Amino acid sequence: MSAPSWADLEALFHEALARRPAERAALLAERCTGRPDLQAEVDAMLRAHDGAASALEVPPVAPQPRLKAGVRLGPYEVLAALGAGGMGEVYRARDTKLGRDVAIKVLPTIFTSDRERLARFEREARMLAALNHPHIGAIYGFEESHGLRALVLELVEGPTLADRIARRAGPLGPAGAPGPKGPGLHVDEALGIATQIADALEAAHDKGIIHRDLKPANIKITPAGVVKVLDFGLAKIYAGDGAGPDLSQSPTVTAGGTRDGMILGTAAYMSPEQARAQAVDKRSDIWAFGCVLYEMLTGRTAFGGETISDTIAAILDRQVNWGALPETTPSSIRRLLQRCLEKDPKRRLHDIADARIELDEALTTPSPETAPVASPTIVRPTSQSRRIAAFATVALVAASLAAIAVWLATRPILPLPRVSRFTITPSSEAALTISGTDRDLAITPDGTRIVYVGANGSALFVRALDQIEATRLTGLGAPHGPFLSPDGQWIGFTDGTTALKKVALNGGPAVTLARTDGAGPRGATWGPDDTVVFATNNTATGLQQIPAAGGEPTVLTRPNRAGGEADHLWPEFLPDGEAVLFTITPTIGTLDAASVAILDLRTGIQTVLIRGGSHAHYMRSGHLVYGAAGTLRAIPFDLANRAVIGPAVPVVREVVTTPTGTPDAVVANDGTLVYVPVGAAADGRTLVWVDRQGREEPITAPPRAYAYPRLAPDGTRLALTITDQEGDVDIWLWDLVRAMLTRVTFDPGVDTYPVWTPDSRRLLFSSDRAGARSLFGQAADGTGAIERLTESRNIQNPTAISPDSARLVFTENVPGTGEDVMTLPLSGNRRAAPLIQTPFVERNAEVSPDGHWLAYQANDSGQFEIYVRPFPDVTTGRWQVSTGGGTRPLWARNGQELFYLAPTGALMRVGVERGNTWAATPPVTLLEGRYYAGAGGLIVGRTYDVSPDGRRFLMIKPGGGTDSTAAPTGLVVVQNWFEELKRLVPRN
Amino acid sequence: MSSPPGDVTRLLLAWSNGDRDALEDLVPVVYGELRHIAVRYFHHERPDQTLQATALVHEAYFKLIDQNHARWQNRAQFFGVAAQLMRRILVDHARARVAAKRGGGMTPITLIDVAGASSPRGVDVIALDDALTRLTSLYPEQGRLVELRYFGGLTIEETGEAMSISPATVKRQWMVARAWLLRDLKSEANV
């Protein structure tokens, strides 16, 4: 059942929350008829909400108080915490020497760690301390102890101007939005306060100090009526050097606690040039001063909005609501406000001294100067004496602090940043196939798109890293081992074992570059000179080269057998195109004894760079990355001198390594690393019987990388190919009666393609224990000697025995004609002869139970289809059985049905009609393609079998992750991996 | 008077102007700085290992951003990036510690999550990360909201700005998301 929509959850949750707890159950039941999942979820959420009242609250902006009552900082004894702003905790403390209370403001940890910042801070603090003014909150000094640094400030008792306005005017809306219209302060009171602020500002501006964060919350009024401007210039200190807009939170040192503890604080007092991050000078203070004066008079902020972005918009674009000013506001003050709130700083009031003059005059001028009002004139005493009595003369420090950063939502939503490491999981339609031979991935040099093998090895997928959808490229045969051209426009790949091809990244027809004649591909690389260097598992040649447009291969190297070299594989161009890295595999030992070497294309000289490694690539960070023992290692590399210049360091430990030892990882020039993580290894397949209705009955054989199940004719045992962790391939037997798994072949090479003799006594198979894969025979119970049937230079894989036991039918990779169907008499002269030999690929031939027909797959039509020919005289006819593609045919034991796999892996069946000539019913799907059907270039044989009575099929269930189409493998993408590489493997 | 903008600031500006490549250069620097700072915190390992994501982010911000030139939008973006990175750092560290000391009576790394309480009740970072991942897979918007609020330490207003929704909506959704996560954490703990 899919999860409820967010809208449903939210609406229901809040509706229920609004009810009394006793009523909630009934409400939920009523709202959720037919939606038990929604009801249960909301119910659980409500209980979680009730049960954890304080858990998972947002962490406080301010750090937890680090000081407690009684702690001493120098001569100061902490008494109590006062409040917390984003920039530090504030405490009340007692100066034990002078017997007065002070405010201690603990500085953020950045100041303890950053010496330079601290030094700047001390310089600034000294300047501020020199500001000795009755209306400026004083700095007494700073203390350092307990690992903290703290400012010691004048403790000012009393409410802030913000409190005063709020008390008078009613609450302001959120973020300073206009609250209910209420009276501001009395005009005289407002003007009197403004005068003191202006005094303070004037004194500071004279000394070149700007406040930058002037606002009502920073202005205090003592019980005696004295105005003190606080936190003067402190935001600048926090910001560091320069006179630019400060983006820290304005510290609020108030006994009443902070307004909201906002990181970014309020934007309402920010000047337009601050909003635009332009230079700030004393005129920004004057703007803020105008805002403060307006607010005192009207009870509302000059610029406000529901959100901060609205506030900014108002500051930049909208006019102040002048009509909100009380009628008793003198016109000179209106003019003053207009000049202060001039958006263009050039046209704004320049000097706060001018403001002070206006204010003085307005306060001393008798009432008739005020604008006429409808109500009867009320004589307001505006005498000097009254003013003086109410407020002492103060100079106001009002350098407006650049308001803290605020946000404008011109960009709709913040782009989700690409974090440095993430996993992409292709959809099941575009699932990754781990083929087992080559890398299944490639990445464009610019790091924007990856190409990978998918759909059970029948297609390539192209996917941009920042998108979800992948583009499928079909018509490529059996593509694997993709590699990109340097311009990222072309994908090179190998089609099965037949040919090296290329296709445009954006799709199109595949172009054949070179034939590989059945040799397994072992790496290819596209150079800047528009040539392709590649290698195959044909040990006669090492590296070969062709022009990127296609052509006859030039052999570049041949392995030196006498020198212990088995083959030259996995070439990778260096960026200059003049040399190629490659791997030398040893004649003795595993890949751990391989070497990384470099071939100079001009001179032909080969030089070994690393012993005990393989699959090396050059990284633009100045490293070689290569595989060793299932990990990726990096080693610093000097490109100019083509030399290794430091020790190797493991850098990625969890990469899937294919049985050929190829790490499934790629790195783009821009440093994007993509790899298939382990945990996706195909080692957990299981066996299962499936009937025609799709019902499964598991077979209790343990999970392994099973490949070719072959039921003995007597139905008692199952021969299987198992690939182990080291890539060793062997034949095992599963006894269906006794439920035991026993091993048949033991040599370290590849032993595969088991075929039962009709008497269920012997197994014929192919093995490379003595050279190229040839045909062998052994008693199924392991007794007796292993018999060699053929000695071949070409790979041979047996697939069937004729029912009279006379002939073995097998596939051979013949140079020039690719894979062909051959036959070997099992008695007599034992000379193999071709049965079906064409330039196309023919494989997986099966003989019908009556011995009259041969079914096999061939790709002469462009894709593999199933064909049937008469047997043993195959030349008298050919009929196509499958439509839309088919591989891996199998006869039913009664000869009345022929099965095969569709490209999706679905099991198909045709009914055989009796007669002298071939006739069959149209194909019908029996089982959907959710079983393991082999992949790519390695597992091309038949991966299923049928029970003797034809009622059930023996299928392989895919292992965890990799070869499962139901649970697609994720790819790990690490961007900017070069940074990590440089850090892990420093180059001196 | 003012020096030219520092690298990070310049990158932030460029990114906010639409230069996506700038982000690529930016993220590792920010990540590196956050980690660097986080490592310092981790070194002072106290038994309860409490950690404040927002303090780290602030510190990183101060270190990296040249206050003279960064516009206010940039801060939003910085915190948006930092929130995600912060989450990664904390979770990676927590997981590494668990892996290193498997079974040894590990104290989970907790985040301070109670404002002003004298004994913070922490939430296991790994469990929260998993739960948040689950939430995000079902409700991506709300997952982002939680990440910005909890790991980035943005206020209600700032979160609203970052996501172009009103603060009221942020509050509303935050309550539901929090309840969802708590329920999820409880149910996972019982498995």
Side-chain angles (χ1 to χ4, degrees):
Chain A
M1 200 167 339
S2 59
S5 76
W6 179 265
D8 285 345
L9 273 184
E10 184 182 317
L12 200 52
F13 181 83
H14 280 290
E15 195 182 347
L17 208 57
R19 301 282 183 91
R20 285 202 297 271
E23 296 171 357
R24 286 176 191 165
L27 172 75
L28 283 184
E30 180 192 315
R31 292 267 184 272
C32 298
T33 45
R35 303 280 310 273
D37 57 322
L38 180 60
Q39 180 172 358
E41 179 135 17
V42 179
D43 180 60
M45 281 165 62
L46 287 165
R47 275 185 279 119
H49 172 88
D50 289 334
S54 54
L56 253 200
E57 285 301 321
V58 175
V61 171
Q64 290 297 85
R66 282 174 280 178
L67 298 178
K68 291 209 230 305
V71 170
R72 290 280 292 241
L73 260 90
Y76 304 100
E77 183 183 328
V78 175
L79 297 177
L82 280 183
M87 287 306 105
E89 315 115 61
V90 187
Y91 304 86
R92 175 194 288 265
R94 184 133 189 100
D95 183 338
T96 55
K97 283 194 187 149
L98 297 181
R100 64 177 174 185
D101 282 356
V102 298
I104 301 249
K105 185 179 201 47
V106 179
L107 299 178
T109 49
I110 185 80
F111 288 95
T112 52
S113 56
D114 188 330
R115 298 229 144 264
E116 205 198 309
R117 193 179 288 269
L118 186 64
R120 282 202 303 263
F121 166 76
E122 289 182 6
R123 278 198 303 273
E124 287 293 335
R126 267 189 215 111
M127 273 181 60
L128 290 178
L131 262 185
N132 187 11
H133 194 279
H135 293 306
I136 301 177
I139 295 182
Y140 293 148
F142 37 89
E143 288 294 322
E144 178 186 346
S145 70
H146 300 273
L148 308 168
R149 287 176 202 277
L151 272 177
V152 184
L153 305 166
E154 178 184 351
L155 179 67
V156 181
E157 312 274 15
T160 65
L161 183 56
D163 299 331
R164 186 70 158 258
I165 295 173
R167 245 190 3 245
R168 194 68 190 144
L172 290 172
K181 183 172 161 65
L185 302 182
H186 194 282
V187 171
D188 283 345
E189 186 185 351
L191 297 184
I193 294 172
T195 306
Q196 299 179 59
I197 299 174
D199 275 350
L201 274 178
E202 187 177 354
H205 288 180
D206 279 350
K207 293 222 167 84
I209 294 174
I210 309 173
H211 191 291
R212 287 167 216 270
D213 192 19
L214 187 70
K215 57 189 180 188
N218 276 345
I219 300 167
K220 278 212 158 187
I221 307 172
T222 69
V226 174
V227 169
K228 292 242 183 213
V229 179
L230 304 177
D231 295 338
F232 187 90
L234 281 184
K236 180 195 175 196
I237 293 176
Y238 290 127
D241 53 282
D246 177 77
L247 300 166
S248 67
Q249 175 183 8
S250 169
T252 49
V253 187
T254 70
T258 67
R259 193 106 169 261
D260 205 313
M262 290 196 254
I263 302 179
L264 300 183
T266 176
Y269 306 93
M270 208 161 61
S271 64
E273 63 270 18
Q274 281 172 315
R276 292 202 185 92
Q278 291 160 356
V280 159
D281 59 18
K282 61 183 185 176
R283 290 172 292 181
S284 305
D285 280 354
I286 290 172
W287 169 283
F289 172 79
C291 292
V292 170
L293 178 55
Y294 179 93
E295 192 169 330
M296 283 195 286
L297 290 170
T298 62
R300 51 162 70 172
T301 54
F303 302 95
E306 160 91 0
T307 62
I308 297 179
S309 60
D310 293 342
T311 307
I312 295 285
I315 290 170
L316 293 177
D317 292 324
R318 288 208 285 277
Q319 269 304 315
V320 169
N321 180 4
W322 300 113
L325 287 171
E327 300 91 11
T328 50
T329 309
S331 47
S332 62
I333 298 302
R334 285 181 199 260
R335 278 195 302 277
L336 173 64
L337 276 170
Q338 279 165 359
R339 289 178 65 203
C340 288
L341 295 177
E342 175 59 58
K343 296 194 197 293
D344 182 352
K346 292 203 205 55
R347 299 175 49 202
R348 196 179 302 153
L349 189 77
H350 272 68
D351 267 307
I352 196 66
D354 296 333
R356 192 176 46 72
I357 293 169
E358 291 289 345
L359 287 163
D360 278 345
E361 285 191 8
L363 277 168
T364 53
T365 308
S367 350
E369 275 283 346
T370 64
V373 294
S375 57
T377 50
I378 298 170
V379 176
R380 290 181 227 283
T382 56
S383 65
Q384 186 109 351
S385 58
R386 182 169 176 213
R387 176 165 70 91
I388 291 173
F391 315 100
T393 317
V394 284
L396 221 151
V397 174
S400 66
L401 261 181
I404 47 277
V406 258
W407 315 49
L408 181 69
T410 48
R411 296 159 211 298
I413 299 221
L414 288 183
L416 271 183
R418 286 193 278 175
V419 194
S420 57
R421 189 180 300 256
F422 57 90
T423 302
I424 58 176
T425 307
S427 65
S428 49
E429 294 82 44
L432 172 76
T433 309
I434 302 211
S435 72
T437 43
D438 279 347
R439 279 203 307 272
D440 309 293
L441 317 166
I443 190 165
T444 54
D446 64 4
T448 57
R449 280 178 285 189
I450 55 169
V451 176
Y452 63 91
V453 179
N456 269 329
S458 66
L460 288 181
F461 289 87
V462 180
R463 179 182 154 150
L465 283 181
D466 56 359
Q467 284 174 16
I468 299 181
E469 297 305 314
T471 311
R472 184 176 182 141
L473 300 178
T474 52
L476 306 177
H480 54 266
F483 58 102
L484 272 297
S485 61
D487 64 2
Q489 296 300 309
W490 290 92
I491 307 172
F493 63 95
T494 313
D495 177 2
T497 51
T498 39
L500 202 58
K501 295 184 178 177
K502 72 178 179 186
V503 65
L505 188 76
N506 299 322
V511 176
T512 301
L513 302 179
R515 301 191 53 99
T516 50
D517 292 333
R522 292 288 183 271
T525 176
W526 196 312
D529 58 351
D530 230 26
T531 66
V532 171
V533 172
F534 65 99
T536 67
N537 63 359
N538 183 347
T539 54
T541 59
L543 306 181
Q544 303 180 65
Q545 185 175 35
I546 48 169
E552 274 304 307
T554 312
V555 174
L556 296 177
T557 70
R558 291 182 197 278
N560 177 0
R561 277 248 124 159
E565 298 180 0
D567 210 345
H568 294 173
L569 308 173
W570 302 303
E572 293 289 338
F573 264 103
L574 286 183
D576 57 10
E578 295 182 0
V580 170
L581 295 164
F582 67 101
T583 304
I584 302 176
T585 51
T587 48
I588 298 172
T590 67
L591 209 55
D592 287 340
S595 307
V596 170
I598 191 165
L599 168 69
D600 185 321
L601 288 170
R602 285 166 309 157
T603 64
I605 296 177
Q606 302 173 24
T607 318
V608 170
L609 293 176
I610 305 169
R611 296 203 184 276
S614 64
H615 299 89
H617 298 242
Y618 176 73
M619 302 283 111
R620 299 210 169 199
S621 56
H623 301 88
L624 291 186
V625 170
Y626 65 97
T631 69
L632 281 185
R633 291 198 191 151
I635 195 165
F637 183 73
D638 184 334
L639 184 63
N641 296 323
R642 301 212 188 123
V644 165
I645 53 176
V649 174
V651 290
V652 180
R653 292 182 198 276
E654 48 165 14
V655 173
V656 161
T657 309
T658 71
T660 58
T662 309
D664 237 343
V666 289
V667 184
N669 288 346
D670 73 337
T672 302
L673 162 71
V674 184
Y675 64 93
V676 184
V678 279
D683 55 1
R685 297 182 203 132
T686 54
L687 303 169
V688 67
W689 286 113
V690 188
D691 69 12
R692 297 201 184 215
Q693 282 72 43
R695 285 187 295 247
E696 295 181 1
E697 185 194 310
I699 294 170
T700 56
R704 292 283 187 275
Y706 298 115
Y708 301 143
R710 299 284 182 269
L711 269 174
D714 64 7
T716 59
R717 285 152 297 165
L718 188 60
L720 298 153
T721 312
I722 295 180
T723 306
D724 68 12
Q725 304 273 27
E726 279 88 48
D728 191 13
V729 184
D730 280 296
I731 297 174
W732 295 63
L733 280 186
W734 171 254
D735 190 314
L736 287 158
V737 174
R738 283 184 285 184
M740 275 175 27
L741 188 65
T742 52
R743 191 168 177 169
V744 175
T745 65
F746 289 88
D747 75 280
V750 173
D751 304 284
T752 180
Y753 282 93
V755 173
W756 290 95
T757 55
D759 60 5
S760 300
R761 292 244 201 101
R762 283 173 73 79
L763 282 169
L764 307 184
F765 57 96
S766 63
S767 172
D768 62 3
R769 61 186 64 200
R773 230 193 274 174
S774 307
L775 305 177
F776 291 78
Q778 181 171 9
D781 59 4
T783 60
I786 297 181
E787 184 193 355
R788 184 169 195 164
L789 302 174
T790 59
E791 262 182 51
S792 167
R793 298 230 306 253
N794 305 322
I795 293 176
Q796 299 174 328
N797 292 318
T799 57
I801 289 186
S802 59
D804 57 6
S805 302
R807 267 175 288 253
L808 174 68
V809 177
F810 64 97
T811 314
E812 179 169 333
N813 298 2
V814 179
T817 56
E819 289 175 53
D820 301 319
V821 176
M822 314 280 282
T823 173
L824 176 76
L826 287 175
S827 57
N829 64 8
R830 295 265 184 101
R831 290 248 302 268
L835 197 62
I836 306 173
Q837 186 163 54
T838 75
F840 301 100
V841 172
E842 297 88 16
R843 64 162 80 113
N844 287 335
E846 297 276 349
V847 181
S848 66
D850 63 3
H852 292 323
W853 306 102
L854 185 75
Y856 65 101
Q857 69 186 71
N859 68 349
D860 48 307
S861 71
Q863 66 173 346
F864 279 113
E865 301 279 4
I866 304 296
Y867 300 92
V868 163
R869 289 181 186 243
F871 185 80
D873 188 358
V874 298
T875 58
T876 56
R878 187 177 98 135
W879 296 268
Q880 181 169 339
V881 170
S882 60
T883 55
T887 63
R888 305 171 174 90
L890 174 68
W891 298 93
R893 297 260 183 120
N894 61 10
Q896 289 172 8
E897 293 174 292
L898 181 59
F899 311 105
Y900 65 94
L901 294 183
T904 58
L907 182 67
M908 313 293 290
R909 142 283 168 225
V910 301
V912 179
E913 285 165 2
R914 296 208 173 280
N916 289 331
T917 182
W918 173 261
T921 62
V924 164
T925 305
L926 285 183
L927 298 177
E928 289 304 329
R930 66 174 73 91
Y931 300 101
Y932 179 72
L938 195 62
I939 313 289
V940 298
R942 177 165 49 86
T943 50
Y944 66 99
D945 209 341
V946 63
S947 63
D949 63 3
R951 295 230 191 109
R952 301 188 295 178
F953 300 93
L954 186 97
M955 309 301 284
I956 301 177
K957 286 204 80 159
T962 327
D963 45 21
S964 160
T965 50
T969 307
L971 298 168
V972 176
V973 179
V974 182
Q975 296 181 303
N976 302 303
W977 186 58
F978 285 163
E979 297 308 312
E980 196 167 306
L981 199 55
K982 286 183 208 163
R983 189 181 51 82
L984 290 170
V985 193
R987 306 176 80 239
N988 308 348
Chain B
M1 179 154 65
S2 44
S3 51
D7 259 359
V8 176
T9 315
R10 184 183 49 77
L11 288 171
L12 250 192
L13 284 170
W15 177 35
S16 65
N17 283 331
D19 179 359
R20 291 203 71 186
D21 294 336
L23 179 59
E24 285 189 43
D25 295 328
L26 186 61
V27 165
V29 180
V30 175
Y31 185 81
E33 190 54 50
L34 284 173
R35 276 210 69 204
H36 181 62
I37 300 172
V39 161
R40 257 197 300 112
Y41 277 76
F42 293 145
H43 273 335
H44 303 303
E45 289 202 9
R46 299 194 301 273
D48 55 348
Q49 189 59 73
T50 47
L51 193 60
Q52 288 177 305
T54 52
L56 292 195
V57 172
H58 271 92
E59 205 174 319
Y61 182 78
F62 273 121
K63 277 209 96 167
L64 293 174
I65 305 295
D66 176 355
Q67 312 286 15
N68 297 328
H69 295 92
R71 286 200 294 270
W72 43 260
Q73 300 104 309
N74 309 135
R75 183 151 172 154
Q77 288 161 321
F78 177 92
F79 276 85
V81 174
Q84 284 216 3
L85 298 179
M86 198 62 241
R87 179 180 167 192
R88 277 280 60 80
I89 292 172
L90 291 173
V91 173
D92 288 349
H93 181 82
R95 288 196 200 275
R97 278 176 51 139
V98 169
K101 298 186 191 176
R102 180 151 271 133
M106 267 298 303
T107 334
I109 295 182
T110 56
L111 295 173
I112 288 187
D113 67 342
V114 176
S118 54
S119 59
R121 287 189 5 192
V123 168
D124 178 6
V125 168
I126 298 178
L128 176 62
D129 182 62
D130 289 341
L132 182 56
T133 304
R134 282 190 285 276
L135 176 72
T136 308
S137 70
L138 289 173
Y139 311 109
E141 286 266 320
Q142 287 72 27
R144 179 104 179 105
L145 190 156
V146 169
E147 191 174 63
L148 288 172
R149 284 274 284 156
Y150 199 81
F151 289 95
L154 303 187
T155 64
I156 303 254
E157 280 79 7
E158 291 149 3
T159 308
E161 288 300 328
M163 301 183 61
S164 281
I165 52 181
S166 75
T169 307
V170 173
K171 270 190 250 193
R172 222 178 126 82
Q173 294 199 353
W174 166 252
M175 281 182 70
V176 182
R178 178 174 161 268
W180 193 99
L181 286 169
L182 288 169
R183 175 199 59 81
D184 189 85
L185 284 170
K186 251 198 312 193
S187 61
E188 286 301 310
N190 287 337
V191 163

